PDB file of all heavy atoms in Angstrom:
ATOM      1  N   LEU A   1     -83.953  78.421  26.147  1.00  0.00           N
ATOM      2  CA  LEU A   1     -83.290  77.708  25.001  1.00  0.00           C
ATOM      3  C   LEU A   1     -81.814  77.406  25.437  1.00  0.00           C
ATOM      4  O   LEU A   1     -81.252  76.405  25.171  1.00  0.00           O
ATOM      5  CB  LEU A   1     -83.343  78.540  23.791  1.00  0.00           C
ATOM      6  CG  LEU A   1     -82.706  77.949  22.585  1.00  0.00           C
ATOM      7  CD1 LEU A   1     -83.209  76.595  22.232  1.00  0.00           C
ATOM      8  CD2 LEU A   1     -82.893  78.921  21.300  1.00  0.00           C
ATOM      9  N   GLY A   2     -81.130  78.467  26.027  1.00  0.00           N
ATOM     10  CA  GLY A   2     -79.704  78.292  26.393  1.00  0.00           C
ATOM     11  C   GLY A   2     -79.586  77.167  27.435  1.00  0.00           C
ATOM     12  O   GLY A   2     -78.609  76.492  27.287  1.00  0.00           O
ATOM     13  N   MET A   3     -80.351  77.165  28.432  1.00  0.00           N
ATOM     14  CA  MET A   3     -80.317  76.129  29.405  1.00  0.00           C
ATOM     15  C   MET A   3     -80.572  74.722  28.759  1.00  0.00           C
ATOM     16  O   MET A   3     -79.866  73.765  29.212  1.00  0.00           O
ATOM     17  CB  MET A   3     -81.414  76.354  30.501  1.00  0.00           C
ATOM     18  CG  MET A   3     -81.141  77.640  31.366  1.00  0.00           C
ATOM     19  SD  MET A   3     -82.484  78.178  32.384  1.00  0.00           S
ATOM     20  CE  MET A   3     -82.636  76.796  33.530  1.00  0.00           C
ATOM     21  N   GLY A   4     -81.463  74.648  27.836  1.00  0.00           N
ATOM     22  CA  GLY A   4     -81.673  73.441  27.170  1.00  0.00           C
ATOM     23  C   GLY A   4     -80.431  73.006  26.421  1.00  0.00           C
ATOM     24  O   GLY A   4     -80.113  71.759  26.334  1.00  0.00           O
ATOM     25  N   GLN A   5     -79.724  73.962  25.764  1.00  0.00           N
ATOM     26  CA  GLN A   5     -78.514  73.645  25.066  1.00  0.00           C
ATOM     27  C   GLN A   5     -77.472  73.041  26.057  1.00  0.00           C
ATOM     28  O   GLN A   5     -76.740  72.039  25.822  1.00  0.00           O
ATOM     29  CB  GLN A   5     -77.889  74.849  24.417  1.00  0.00           C
ATOM     30  CG  GLN A   5     -78.668  75.312  23.226  1.00  0.00           C
ATOM     31  CD  GLN A   5     -78.592  74.257  22.069  1.00  0.00           C
ATOM     32  OE1 GLN A   5     -79.572  73.603  21.713  1.00  0.00           O
ATOM     33  NE2 GLN A   5     -77.420  74.171  21.427  1.00  0.00           N
ATOM     34  N   ARG A   6     -77.300  73.682  27.232  1.00  0.00           N
ATOM     35  CA  ARG A   6     -76.361  73.184  28.267  1.00  0.00           C
ATOM     36  C   ARG A   6     -76.696  71.785  28.682  1.00  0.00           C
ATOM     37  O   ARG A   6     -75.882  70.912  28.837  1.00  0.00           O
ATOM     38  CB  ARG A   6     -76.294  74.137  29.403  1.00  0.00           C
ATOM     39  CG  ARG A   6     -75.653  75.411  29.078  1.00  0.00           C
ATOM     40  CD  ARG A   6     -75.707  76.382  30.296  1.00  0.00           C
ATOM     41  NE  ARG A   6     -75.049  77.776  29.973  1.00  0.00           N
ATOM     42  CZ  ARG A   6     -73.789  77.957  30.318  1.00  0.00           C
ATOM     43  NH1 ARG A   6     -72.987  77.029  30.885  1.00  0.00           N
ATOM     44  NH2 ARG A   6     -73.278  79.185  29.934  1.00  0.00           N
ATOM     45  N   LEU A   7     -78.022  71.427  28.853  1.00  0.00           N
ATOM     46  CA  LEU A   7     -78.412  70.101  29.151  1.00  0.00           C
ATOM     47  C   LEU A   7     -78.078  69.109  28.103  1.00  0.00           C
ATOM     48  O   LEU A   7     -77.613  68.022  28.419  1.00  0.00           O
ATOM     49  CB  LEU A   7     -79.930  70.101  29.503  1.00  0.00           C
ATOM     50  CG  LEU A   7     -80.497  68.733  29.917  1.00  0.00           C
ATOM     51  CD1 LEU A   7     -79.853  68.248  31.198  1.00  0.00           C
ATOM     52  CD2 LEU A   7     -82.101  68.838  30.061  1.00  0.00           C
ATOM     53  N   GLY A   8     -78.271  69.497  26.815  1.00  0.00           N
ATOM     54  CA  GLY A   8     -77.914  68.686  25.758  1.00  0.00           C
ATOM     55  C   GLY A   8     -76.446  68.352  25.608  1.00  0.00           C
ATOM     56  O   GLY A   8     -76.056  67.253  25.344  1.00  0.00           O
ATOM     57  N   ILE A   9     -75.663  69.414  25.951  1.00  0.00           N
ATOM     58  CA  ILE A   9     -74.169  69.164  26.011  1.00  0.00           C
ATOM     59  C   ILE A   9     -73.808  68.227  27.144  1.00  0.00           C
ATOM     60  O   ILE A   9     -72.980  67.295  27.047  1.00  0.00           O
ATOM     61  CB  ILE A   9     -73.457  70.496  26.149  1.00  0.00           C
ATOM     62  CG1 ILE A   9     -73.559  71.328  24.874  1.00  0.00           C
ATOM     63  CG2 ILE A   9     -72.035  70.302  26.443  1.00  0.00           C
ATOM     64  CD1 ILE A   9     -73.057  72.767  25.054  1.00  0.00           C
ATOM     65  N   ALA A  10     -74.452  68.347  28.288  1.00  0.00           N
ATOM     66  CA  ALA A  10     -74.278  67.515  29.441  1.00  0.00           C
ATOM     67  C   ALA A  10     -74.512  66.041  29.021  1.00  0.00           C
ATOM     68  O   ALA A  10     -73.877  65.079  29.466  1.00  0.00           O
ATOM     69  CB  ALA A  10     -75.112  67.922  30.629  1.00  0.00           C
ATOM     70  N   ALA A  11     -75.648  65.798  28.313  1.00  0.00           N
ATOM     71  CA  ALA A  11     -76.031  64.453  27.904  1.00  0.00           C
ATOM     72  C   ALA A  11     -74.995  63.848  27.017  1.00  0.00           C
ATOM     73  O   ALA A  11     -74.636  62.665  27.095  1.00  0.00           O
ATOM     74  CB  ALA A  11     -77.392  64.536  27.170  1.00  0.00           C
ATOM     75  N   ALA A  12     -74.393  64.705  26.085  1.00  0.00           N
ATOM     76  CA  ALA A  12     -73.404  64.242  25.234  1.00  0.00           C
ATOM     77  C   ALA A  12     -72.104  63.899  25.914  1.00  0.00           C
ATOM     78  O   ALA A  12     -71.369  62.955  25.464  1.00  0.00           O
ATOM     79  CB  ALA A  12     -73.026  65.292  24.159  1.00  0.00           C
ATOM     80  N   LEU A  13     -71.888  64.384  27.016  1.00  0.00           N
ATOM     81  CA  LEU A  13     -70.587  64.146  27.809  1.00  0.00           C
ATOM     82  C   LEU A  13     -70.780  63.115  28.849  1.00  0.00           C
ATOM     83  O   LEU A  13     -69.779  62.719  29.492  1.00  0.00           O
ATOM     84  CB  LEU A  13     -70.207  65.455  28.486  1.00  0.00           C
ATOM     85  CG  LEU A  13     -69.922  66.666  27.561  1.00  0.00           C
ATOM     86  CD1 LEU A  13     -69.517  67.938  28.415  1.00  0.00           C
ATOM     87  CD2 LEU A  13     -68.935  66.350  26.568  1.00  0.00           C
ATOM     88  N   LEU A  14     -71.966  62.530  29.046  1.00  0.00           N
ATOM     89  CA  LEU A  14     -72.209  61.540  30.161  1.00  0.00           C
ATOM     90  C   LEU A  14     -71.150  60.401  30.215  1.00  0.00           C
ATOM     91  O   LEU A  14     -70.596  60.028  31.227  1.00  0.00           O
ATOM     92  CB  LEU A  14     -73.586  60.968  30.077  1.00  0.00           C
ATOM     93  CG  LEU A  14     -74.657  61.698  30.820  1.00  0.00           C
ATOM     94  CD1 LEU A  14     -75.991  61.088  30.560  1.00  0.00           C
ATOM     95  CD2 LEU A  14     -74.365  61.683  32.388  1.00  0.00           C
ATOM     96  N   GLY A  15     -70.977  59.848  29.012  1.00  0.00           N
ATOM     97  CA  GLY A  15     -70.018  58.651  28.970  1.00  0.00           C
ATOM     98  C   GLY A  15     -68.623  58.956  28.792  1.00  0.00           C
ATOM     99  O   GLY A  15     -67.827  58.086  28.595  1.00  0.00           O
ATOM    100  N   ASP A  16     -68.205  60.323  28.943  1.00  0.00           N
ATOM    101  CA  ASP A  16     -66.818  60.674  28.687  1.00  0.00           C
ATOM    102  C   ASP A  16     -66.295  60.137  27.445  1.00  0.00           C
ATOM    103  O   ASP A  16     -65.169  59.506  27.437  1.00  0.00           O
ATOM    104  CB  ASP A  16     -65.993  60.260  29.870  1.00  0.00           C
ATOM    105  CG  ASP A  16     -64.680  61.076  29.948  1.00  0.00           C
ATOM    106  OD1 ASP A  16     -64.591  62.171  29.352  1.00  0.00           O
ATOM    107  OD2 ASP A  16     -63.662  60.628  30.630  1.00  0.00           O
ATOM    108  N   PRO A  17     -66.976  60.271  26.248  1.00  0.00           N
ATOM    109  CA  PRO A  17     -66.638  59.496  25.041  1.00  0.00           C
ATOM    110  C   PRO A  17     -65.392  60.163  24.368  1.00  0.00           C
ATOM    111  O   PRO A  17     -65.143  61.425  24.453  1.00  0.00           O
ATOM    112  CB  PRO A  17     -67.849  59.661  24.179  1.00  0.00           C
ATOM    113  CG  PRO A  17     -68.414  60.978  24.610  1.00  0.00           C
ATOM    114  CD  PRO A  17     -68.200  61.089  26.088  1.00  0.00           C
ATOM    115  N   PRO A  18     -64.723  59.374  23.488  1.00  0.00           N
ATOM    116  CA  PRO A  18     -63.588  59.916  22.752  1.00  0.00           C
ATOM    117  C   PRO A  18     -64.005  60.607  21.464  1.00  0.00           C
ATOM    118  O   PRO A  18     -63.193  61.190  20.805  1.00  0.00           O
ATOM    119  CB  PRO A  18     -62.776  58.545  22.364  1.00  0.00           C
ATOM    120  CG  PRO A  18     -63.845  57.514  22.377  1.00  0.00           C
ATOM    121  CD  PRO A  18     -64.867  57.895  23.374  1.00  0.00           C
ATOM    122  N   THR A  19     -65.261  60.519  21.091  1.00  0.00           N
ATOM    123  CA  THR A  19     -65.806  61.032  19.889  1.00  0.00           C
ATOM    124  C   THR A  19     -67.073  61.968  20.288  1.00  0.00           C
ATOM    125  O   THR A  19     -67.997  61.393  20.954  1.00  0.00           O
ATOM    126  CB  THR A  19     -66.138  60.026  18.773  1.00  0.00           C
ATOM    127  OG1 THR A  19     -64.934  59.280  18.654  1.00  0.00           O
ATOM    128  CG2 THR A  19     -66.537  60.742  17.492  1.00  0.00           C
ATOM    129  N   LEU A  20     -67.138  63.093  19.732  1.00  0.00           N
ATOM    130  CA  LEU A  20     -68.291  64.024  20.022  1.00  0.00           C
ATOM    131  C   LEU A  20     -68.855  64.680  18.786  1.00  0.00           C
ATOM    132  O   LEU A  20     -68.059  65.126  17.890  1.00  0.00           O
ATOM    133  CB  LEU A  20     -67.866  65.096  20.953  1.00  0.00           C
ATOM    134  CG  LEU A  20     -67.495  64.628  22.446  1.00  0.00           C
ATOM    135  CD1 LEU A  20     -66.610  65.627  23.107  1.00  0.00           C
ATOM    136  CD2 LEU A  20     -68.739  64.394  23.312  1.00  0.00           C
ATOM    137  N   ILE A  21     -70.185  64.789  18.594  1.00  0.00           N
ATOM    138  CA  ILE A  21     -70.705  65.485  17.465  1.00  0.00           C
ATOM    139  C   ILE A  21     -71.782  66.497  18.056  1.00  0.00           C
ATOM    140  O   ILE A  21     -72.540  66.199  18.943  1.00  0.00           O
ATOM    141  CB  ILE A  21     -71.249  64.647  16.411  1.00  0.00           C
ATOM    142  CG1 ILE A  21     -72.475  63.830  16.920  1.00  0.00           C
ATOM    143  CG2 ILE A  21     -70.247  63.693  15.818  1.00  0.00           C
ATOM    144  CD1 ILE A  21     -73.145  63.017  15.880  1.00  0.00           C
ATOM    145  N   PHE A  22     -71.734  67.720  17.581  1.00  0.00           N
ATOM    146  CA  PHE A  22     -72.628  68.742  18.019  1.00  0.00           C
ATOM    147  C   PHE A  22     -73.280  69.483  16.848  1.00  0.00           C
ATOM    148  O   PHE A  22     -72.506  69.948  15.967  1.00  0.00           O
ATOM    149  CB  PHE A  22     -71.827  69.832  18.944  1.00  0.00           C
ATOM    150  CG  PHE A  22     -71.326  69.250  20.196  1.00  0.00           C
ATOM    151  CD1 PHE A  22     -69.977  68.859  20.272  1.00  0.00           C
ATOM    152  CD2 PHE A  22     -72.058  69.060  21.320  1.00  0.00           C
ATOM    153  CE1 PHE A  22     -69.390  68.295  21.331  1.00  0.00           C
ATOM    154  CE2 PHE A  22     -71.523  68.520  22.494  1.00  0.00           C
ATOM    155  CZ  PHE A  22     -70.100  68.192  22.506  1.00  0.00           C
ATOM    156  N   ASP A  23     -74.555  69.606  16.890  1.00  0.00           N
ATOM    157  CA  ASP A  23     -75.299  70.369  15.756  1.00  0.00           C
ATOM    158  C   ASP A  23     -75.738  71.675  16.487  1.00  0.00           C
ATOM    159  O   ASP A  23     -76.548  71.720  17.376  1.00  0.00           O
ATOM    160  CB  ASP A  23     -76.493  69.533  15.311  1.00  0.00           C
ATOM    161  CG  ASP A  23     -77.169  70.169  14.157  1.00  0.00           C
ATOM    162  OD1 ASP A  23     -76.585  71.157  13.592  1.00  0.00           O
ATOM    163  OD2 ASP A  23     -78.172  69.584  13.702  1.00  0.00           O
ATOM    164  N   GLU A  24     -75.192  72.785  16.041  1.00  0.00           N
ATOM    165  CA  GLU A  24     -75.458  74.109  16.509  1.00  0.00           C
ATOM    166  C   GLU A  24     -75.407  74.180  18.057  1.00  0.00           C
ATOM    167  O   GLU A  24     -76.291  74.556  18.802  1.00  0.00           O
ATOM    168  CB  GLU A  24     -76.942  74.548  16.154  1.00  0.00           C
ATOM    169  CG  GLU A  24     -77.152  74.589  14.584  1.00  0.00           C
ATOM    170  CD  GLU A  24     -76.431  75.689  13.914  1.00  0.00           C
ATOM    171  OE1 GLU A  24     -75.886  76.581  14.520  1.00  0.00           O
ATOM    172  OE2 GLU A  24     -76.438  75.766  12.667  1.00  0.00           O
ATOM    173  N   PRO A  25     -74.183  73.926  18.583  1.00  0.00           N
ATOM    174  CA  PRO A  25     -74.140  73.789  20.028  1.00  0.00           C
ATOM    175  C   PRO A  25     -74.249  75.162  20.802  1.00  0.00           C
ATOM    176  O   PRO A  25     -74.541  75.092  22.001  1.00  0.00           O
ATOM    177  CB  PRO A  25     -72.721  73.314  20.203  1.00  0.00           C
ATOM    178  CG  PRO A  25     -71.875  73.696  19.034  1.00  0.00           C
ATOM    179  CD  PRO A  25     -72.923  73.703  17.905  1.00  0.00           C
ATOM    180  N   VAL A  26     -74.087  76.281  20.173  1.00  0.00           N
ATOM    181  CA  VAL A  26     -74.113  77.541  20.851  1.00  0.00           C
ATOM    182  C   VAL A  26     -75.506  78.245  20.646  1.00  0.00           C
ATOM    183  O   VAL A  26     -75.694  79.394  20.965  1.00  0.00           O
ATOM    184  CB  VAL A  26     -73.100  78.536  20.437  1.00  0.00           C
ATOM    185  CG1 VAL A  26     -71.673  77.898  20.801  1.00  0.00           C
ATOM    186  CG2 VAL A  26     -73.052  78.904  18.897  1.00  0.00           C
ATOM    187  N   ASN A  27     -76.427  77.523  19.950  1.00  0.00           N
ATOM    188  CA  ASN A  27     -77.774  78.097  19.787  1.00  0.00           C
ATOM    189  C   ASN A  27     -78.437  78.506  21.024  1.00  0.00           C
ATOM    190  O   ASN A  27     -78.696  77.635  21.918  1.00  0.00           O
ATOM    191  CB  ASN A  27     -78.622  77.092  19.019  1.00  0.00           C
ATOM    192  CG  ASN A  27     -79.957  77.563  18.496  1.00  0.00           C
ATOM    193  OD1 ASN A  27     -80.030  78.826  18.314  1.00  0.00           O
ATOM    194  ND2 ASN A  27     -80.965  76.722  18.394  1.00  0.00           N
ATOM    195  N   GLY A  28     -78.748  79.791  21.227  1.00  0.00           N
ATOM    196  CA  GLY A  28     -79.455  80.254  22.381  1.00  0.00           C
ATOM    197  C   GLY A  28     -78.549  80.602  23.531  1.00  0.00           C
ATOM    198  O   GLY A  28     -79.002  81.159  24.478  1.00  0.00           O
ATOM    199  N   LEU A  29     -77.265  80.399  23.404  1.00  0.00           N
ATOM    200  CA  LEU A  29     -76.326  80.799  24.475  1.00  0.00           C
ATOM    201  C   LEU A  29     -76.004  82.272  24.452  1.00  0.00           C
ATOM    202  O   LEU A  29     -76.019  82.918  23.360  1.00  0.00           O
ATOM    203  CB  LEU A  29     -75.068  79.923  24.374  1.00  0.00           C
ATOM    204  CG  LEU A  29     -75.175  78.441  24.569  1.00  0.00           C
ATOM    205  CD1 LEU A  29     -73.709  77.878  24.417  1.00  0.00           C
ATOM    206  CD2 LEU A  29     -75.776  78.072  25.918  1.00  0.00           C
ATOM    207  N   ASP A  30     -75.869  82.857  25.607  1.00  0.00           N
ATOM    208  CA  ASP A  30     -75.436  84.230  25.727  1.00  0.00           C
ATOM    209  C   ASP A  30     -73.957  84.348  25.440  1.00  0.00           C
ATOM    210  O   ASP A  30     -73.267  83.309  25.226  1.00  0.00           O
ATOM    211  CB  ASP A  30     -75.829  84.793  27.039  1.00  0.00           C
ATOM    212  CG  ASP A  30     -75.109  84.129  28.212  1.00  0.00           C
ATOM    213  OD1 ASP A  30     -74.096  83.437  27.997  1.00  0.00           O
ATOM    214  OD2 ASP A  30     -75.607  84.298  29.378  1.00  0.00           O
ATOM    215  N   PRO A  31     -73.413  85.628  25.243  1.00  0.00           N
ATOM    216  CA  PRO A  31     -71.944  85.693  24.956  1.00  0.00           C
ATOM    217  C   PRO A  31     -71.015  84.928  25.830  1.00  0.00           C
ATOM    218  O   PRO A  31     -70.076  84.279  25.321  1.00  0.00           O
ATOM    219  CB  PRO A  31     -71.717  87.234  24.925  1.00  0.00           C
ATOM    220  CG  PRO A  31     -73.074  87.814  24.710  1.00  0.00           C
ATOM    221  CD  PRO A  31     -74.097  86.884  25.312  1.00  0.00           C
ATOM    222  N   GLU A  32     -71.306  84.928  27.164  1.00  0.00           N
ATOM    223  CA  GLU A  32     -70.423  84.204  28.036  1.00  0.00           C
ATOM    224  C   GLU A  32     -70.510  82.703  27.731  1.00  0.00           C
ATOM    225  O   GLU A  32     -69.464  81.946  27.791  1.00  0.00           O
ATOM    226  CB  GLU A  32     -70.826  84.449  29.530  1.00  0.00           C
ATOM    227  CG  GLU A  32     -69.935  83.749  30.575  1.00  0.00           C
ATOM    228  CD  GLU A  32     -70.374  82.269  30.810  1.00  0.00           C
ATOM    229  OE1 GLU A  32     -71.608  81.995  30.599  1.00  0.00           O
ATOM    230  OE2 GLU A  32     -69.532  81.472  31.284  1.00  0.00           O
ATOM    231  N   GLY A  33     -71.734  82.268  27.422  1.00  0.00           N
ATOM    232  CA  GLY A  33     -72.017  80.824  27.158  1.00  0.00           C
ATOM    233  C   GLY A  33     -71.323  80.374  25.900  1.00  0.00           C
ATOM    234  O   GLY A  33     -70.808  79.301  25.747  1.00  0.00           O
ATOM    235  N   ILE A  34     -71.339  81.321  24.945  1.00  0.00           N
ATOM    236  CA  ILE A  34     -70.730  81.021  23.550  1.00  0.00           C
ATOM    237  C   ILE A  34     -69.111  80.787  23.815  1.00  0.00           C
ATOM    238  O   ILE A  34     -68.524  79.884  23.274  1.00  0.00           O
ATOM    239  CB  ILE A  34     -70.918  82.132  22.551  1.00  0.00           C
ATOM    240  CG1 ILE A  34     -72.420  82.042  22.245  1.00  0.00           C
ATOM    241  CG2 ILE A  34     -70.029  81.964  21.351  1.00  0.00           C
ATOM    242  CD1 ILE A  34     -72.817  83.276  21.273  1.00  0.00           C
ATOM    243  N   ILE A  35     -68.537  81.719  24.532  1.00  0.00           N
ATOM    244  CA  ILE A  35     -67.060  81.598  24.819  1.00  0.00           C
ATOM    245  C   ILE A  35     -66.860  80.282  25.535  1.00  0.00           C
ATOM    246  O   ILE A  35     -65.821  79.553  25.377  1.00  0.00           O
ATOM    247  CB  ILE A  35     -66.577  82.796  25.656  1.00  0.00           C
ATOM    248  CG1 ILE A  35     -66.673  83.997  24.716  1.00  0.00           C
ATOM    249  CG2 ILE A  35     -65.148  82.565  26.102  1.00  0.00           C
ATOM    250  CD1 ILE A  35     -66.422  85.338  25.434  1.00  0.00           C
ATOM    251  N   TRP A  36     -67.677  80.006  26.585  1.00  0.00           N
ATOM    252  CA  TRP A  36     -67.516  78.734  27.369  1.00  0.00           C
ATOM    253  C   TRP A  36     -67.602  77.493  26.473  1.00  0.00           C
ATOM    254  O   TRP A  36     -66.804  76.608  26.586  1.00  0.00           O
ATOM    255  CB  TRP A  36     -68.644  78.659  28.445  1.00  0.00           C
ATOM    256  CG  TRP A  36     -68.779  77.303  29.003  1.00  0.00           C
ATOM    257  CD1 TRP A  36     -68.023  76.695  29.947  1.00  0.00           C
ATOM    258  CD2 TRP A  36     -69.845  76.367  28.701  1.00  0.00           C
ATOM    259  NE1 TRP A  36     -68.503  75.407  30.244  1.00  0.00           N
ATOM    260  CE2 TRP A  36     -69.591  75.191  29.487  1.00  0.00           C
ATOM    261  CE3 TRP A  36     -70.874  76.365  27.764  1.00  0.00           C
ATOM    262  CZ2 TRP A  36     -70.429  73.985  29.357  1.00  0.00           C
ATOM    263  CZ3 TRP A  36     -71.697  75.241  27.656  1.00  0.00           C
ATOM    264  CH2 TRP A  36     -71.456  74.133  28.459  1.00  0.00           C
ATOM    265  N   ALA A  37     -68.622  77.405  25.618  1.00  0.00           N
ATOM    266  CA  ALA A  37     -68.778  76.278  24.710  1.00  0.00           C
ATOM    267  C   ALA A  37     -67.594  76.226  23.735  1.00  0.00           C
ATOM    268  O   ALA A  37     -67.068  75.126  23.521  1.00  0.00           O
ATOM    269  CB  ALA A  37     -70.082  76.445  23.909  1.00  0.00           C
TER     270      ALA A  37
END
């Protein structure tokens, strides 16, 4: 689940956009991943 979340974040960042929306971005991330996000 955490790896899938990271892939979803990667997809959101592809176009280097000025506007970003995230629904539950830390879902499934471990503590290090939560701090990173």
Side-chain angles (χ1 to χ4, degrees):
L1 180 58
M3 293 164 67
Q5 287 294 113
R6 289 176 179 265
L7 180 59
I9 293 172
L13 303 180
L14 267 176
D16 199 20
T19 303
L20 294 158
I21 64 173
F22 298 97
D23 190 6
E24 302 289 353
V26 300
N27 186 27
L29 296 181
D30 60 17
E32 182 277 334
I34 291 174
I35 295 173
W36 164 77

